[in-house]
Amino acid sequence: CFFLCFLYVEAVKQSLAMSILLIALIYLYSRKIKKYIYLIILASFFHVTALICLIFIIPYFSARLTKLVGFGLLVLSIIFITFPTSILEYIVLFLPPNSMVGMKLNFYLYSDAYSPQVSIGLGSILDFLLICIIFLSFWRANKNQLFTNYSFHGVVFLGVSLYLAFGISIGKMMPVMTR
């Protein structure tokens, strides 16, 4: 019974963080960067992974850095697919010994249920179709000059890169990492 209550608490924390992130996107779109950062920090009090959304401010400062970070995420996810265990073991070395993140990563690495393994099924076909649709949409939007806010276009590009890196690439090796 306690385990089920813990799952619900985690879901509520994730939902609160996501709600705050969605509100923060309004400020990002209207170029109110400070308010966006404050809301991201507030969301991180509920779920620390909200901090990754700080990369979405990069397009407001540098289009070149946006492309570099976006493509870098994709390259890193491909490297992760190739050497998942080695990379995670290396990350654990830099974490404090009794930290929550370190203990979780150790558990995921060495348990039979969560250890890195390729999981490709029928959903992979849908993932591939989604990737094709995303790239086709970006290509058509650029070709027809549909973007009015180029900085926010960079935000969308980084969001798609994050999704492809974590949701599809890394998720195929360790589905537990995408929760």
Side-chain angles (χ1 to χ4, degrees):
C1 181
F2 174 75
F3 180 69
L4 291 176
C5 292
F6 179 73
L7 286 177
Y8 291 127
V9 169
E10 279 295 311
V12 169
K13 287 172 49 180
Q14 290 171 355
S15 299
L16 284 170
M18 190 64 189
S19 299
I20 294 169
L21 290 175
L22 290 173
I23 293 168
L25 282 177
I26 296 168
Y27 291 108
L28 183 65
Y29 186 77
S30 59
R31 297 179 177 267
K32 297 177 182 172
I33 305 298
K34 284 184 182 178
K35 288 183 180 181
Y36 173 77
I37 292 171
Y38 293 144
L39 285 173
I40 296 301
I41 292 170
L42 177 65
S44 72
F45 289 134
F46 293 101
H47 207 277
V48 74
T49 56
L51 290 175
I52 201 161
C53 292
L54 289 174
I55 71 166
F56 294 144
I57 63 174
I58 294 172
Y60 290 92
F61 300 107
S62 170
R64 188 175 186 184
L65 186 59
T66 301
K67 289 180 182 177
L68 181 70
V69 170
F71 289 119
L73 280 169
L74 297 176
V75 168
L76 287 175
S77 68
I78 291 169
I79 293 170
F80 182 83
I81 287 172
T82 311
F83 309 105
T85 306
S86 303
I87 291 172
L88 289 175
E89 286 173 346
Y90 190 71
I91 291 171
V92 169
L93 289 175
F94 287 102
L95 296 172
N98 293 325
S99 71
M100 186 65 142
V101 175
M103 290 188 301
K104 279 185 174 183
L105 280 178
N106 271 326
F107 176 75
Y108 294 150
L109 271 171
Y110 301 113
S111 71
D112 292 333
Y114 296 113
S115 63
Q117 58 190 358
V118 177
S119 61
I120 297 177
L122 291 176
S124 299
I125 296 169
L126 296 175
D127 290 340
F128 179 74
L129 287 173
L130 180 62
I131 291 170
C132 291
I133 290 169
I134 288 170
F135 282 112
L136 180 65
S137 298
F138 271 102
W139 177 73
R140 288 188 66 178
N142 277 332
K143 180 182 172 191
N144 298 322
Q145 298 177 344
L146 298 177
F147 297 112
T148 56
N149 185 341
Y150 285 99
S151 295
F152 204 73
H153 168 68
V155 171
V156 172
F157 172 70
L158 286 176
V160 168
S161 297
L162 272 174
Y163 171 73
L164 293 177
F166 285 98
I168 293 179
S169 303
I170 294 173
K172 292 293 175 205
M173 289 303 295
M174 292 187 73
V176 72
M177 298 296 266
T178 59
R179 290 191 304 172

